[in-house]
Structure formats: C-alpha cells, structure tokens
Amino acid sequence: FVPVADGQLPFHQVLRAVIQTFRNKILTSGSDLIGVCFYGTKEKDNPSDLPGILVFADLDVPDAERILRLEELLSKNFANHFGHADKEVSLADALWTCSTIFGNCTVKVGTKRVFLFTNNDAPNADQPTLQAQAKQRAADLRQLGIHIELFPLNRGNLPFLASKFYVDVVESGEEGDLETLDG
C-alpha cells in the first residue's frame, strides 16, 4: 500500500470507513447484516478454502465486539498481521466468496451489496482468463441481486482508471458515471 497524503495507509482508511459503517448501522438499522472479507492475503479462511481470501467477519448484525475487533486492526500492520499473498489473487475467487457468504446466510437479507475497496484499477491484468472470470462472476452476482459498489483508493500519484476494468464489473448508474473516476 502507498501512504496517502496524511500518511495513512489505504488499509487503515478502509478500516475507518468500515468501522463508521458498523456504527451507523447500529444506530439506524440494527437488523442489517455486515461482513468483512479481505483478499490478497497470505492467510486464508473462507467457505471454499480459496487461497488469498480471508473472511474476517461473517455476515452478522454489527455490535460493539465486532467494532472493537476492527479497531484493533488499526494498530496492526496488514503485511505483518495477515501477510500479502505470494501472487495476485483472483478477483473472481473473491467475488465467489462473497456470493457464498450471502448464499450461506440463513437470515432473509433485503439489499445485498459488496463494497469493493481497491487501489488496483486492473486486477489480474496479465491474466485475461481471470479478468473474464471476474467479469462473469460480477454478472452472476447481479443476477442474484447482489450489487457491487466500487470504492477506488488513492494510488499515490497515479490516477485510478475505472475504465480499464471496472466499467464491466460495476453496474452502470450504481456508482454514478465510472468515467468520472478516471484521471
């Protein structure tokens, strides 16, 4: 991860956003379910036993204990705590894991969303087959009523170009005009 202007790592930015989402859900919709899944990790812990994917928190109602677990991560170094995968992890596998998590949920869920935080605007760029699989998995998720919302992260001096890949993954209108993320 490249530190952002205030010196924070993107991982910590994401954690702060997730923690705030948990807090907001406790106050506004205490019955909503939220899960947290990391991909690109050396460790793995997921229903399909796929490499590089760690389900940190299964779908469940947000509570103080889950927030505390997330806050503890703010003091940890991602690379030391979870480790980075030795090779790039398939985004299709990460999306499959999200689909499985929703499928295994026994509680009826109204709106199903995957918040995808990334600073990689072209995942699996050197592997067209994996990119095609990720695009197909995203289409499969849409058919299941699961929406992917993209949150591009700072890449230092490099612009995040959603048009490289994500325009085919995120539904048009879901994140507004993806072209505005370019540049």
Side-chain angles (χ1 to χ4, degrees), residues 23-174:
R23 287 179 178 146
N24 289 344
K25 290 297 181 182
I26 287 173
L27 296 173
T28 60
S29 353
S31 62
D32 284 359
L33 305 179
I34 300 176
V36 178
C37 178
F38 301 124
Y39 83 103
T41 60
K42 189 172 201 80
E43 288 187 34
K44 69 176 180 175
D45 184 6
N46 61 80
S48 302
D49 203 35
L50 296 167
I53 301 169
L54 182 126
V55 177
F56 181 76
D58 284 315
L59 279 178
D60 203 349
V61 291
D63 60 19
E65 181 180 331
R66 296 178 72 164
I67 291 172
L68 288 174
R69 281 189 65 215
L70 287 164
E71 286 176 340
E72 287 174 7
L73 291 180
L74 288 171
S75 65
K76 304 213 184 279
N77 177 296
F78 184 86
N80 293 340
H81 195 68
F82 296 112
H84 293 288
D86 295 330
K87 62 181 185 169
E88 188 175 17
V89 175
S90 165
L91 178 59
D93 286 351
L95 295 176
W96 175 258
T97 299
C98 292
S99 175
T100 302
I101 291 168
F102 280 114
N104 290 344
C105 182
T106 58
V107 177
K108 182 170 171 60
V109 178
T111 303
K112 299 174 185 174
R113 294 182 292 180
V114 172
F115 292 166
L116 178 60
F117 294 89
T118 184
N119 63 358
N120 184 352
D121 59 3
N124 309 120
D126 59 341
Q127 300 178 55
T129 302
L130 290 181
Q131 280 196 330
Q133 289 173 352
K135 290 175 183 178
Q136 182 57 54
R137 182 66 58 213
D140 295 345
L141 288 174
R142 280 192 297 276
Q143 285 185 332
L144 293 170
I146 302 170
H147 305 282
I148 299 171
E149 294 189 31
L150 176 66
F151 293 88
L153 300 175
N154 185 310
R155 295 168 19 106
N157 293 331
L158 300 173
F160 187 97
L161 301 174
S163 60
K164 283 185 175 180
F165 176 78
Y166 287 102
V167 72
D168 296 325
V169 173
V170 179
E171 288 180 72
S172 164
E174 192 169 297

